[in-house]
Amino acid sequence: MGKESVPVYLSEMAPAKIRCALNIGFQMMITIGILGANLINYWTANLESGWRISLGIGAVPAIMGQKEGAKKMLQKIRGIDNVDEEFQDLIDASEEAKK
């Protein structure tokens, strides 16, 4: 399972009425992330340690990741408390995409 599996997973698991919006939102966030990375690289390109700053800033979202908050959001979206299996599937897909 690769990075391209996330939109497919979203399409399969999302309620039909928000499926399109969810996938468009996912793609928009990816695009905004690419734009942000390019802007950071542009601003740090002429600094002596610019690559270190750029790499360090890239680690910020990973540090901010909160699994418990994500699980609560999934429970809210699904309207049920028992989302353990689906949540674990999401974590597994995320870990697989990082390889």
Side-chain angles (χ1 to χ4, degrees):
M1 193 180 322
K3 292 178 179 131
E4 65 278 353
S5 65
V6 175
V8 174
Y9 183 82
L10 288 174
S11 293
E12 292 295 326
M13 299 307 293
K17 64 182 178 181
I18 65 165
R19 190 170 292 151
C20 184
L22 196 62
N23 276 314
I24 290 171
F26 174 78
Q27 185 62 43
M28 186 175 69
M29 290 298 122
I30 295 292
T31 304
I32 290 170
I34 292 169
L35 174 64
N38 281 310
L39 290 173
I40 290 167
N41 288 336
Y42 177 78
W43 290 324
T44 61
N46 294 325
L47 300 175
E48 185 176 330
S49 297
W51 68 272
R52 290 184 178 104
I53 295 169
S54 180
L55 191 61
I57 291 172
V60 170
I63 293 169
M64 291 174 47
Q66 299 176 356
K67 289 184 180 179
E68 195 57 40
K71 187 173 181 178
K72 287 181 182 180
M73 181 60 70
L74 185 60
Q75 289 170 335
K76 181 179 176 183
I77 291 169
R78 295 290 179 230
I80 57 173
D81 289 334
N82 187 11
V83 294
D84 294 335
E85 188 176 337
E86 182 180 0
F87 187 67
Q88 189 59 48
D89 287 346
L90 289 168
I91 292 172
D92 293 343
S94 177
E95 292 298 320
E96 186 67 29
K98 292 177 185 176
K99 292 180 182 178

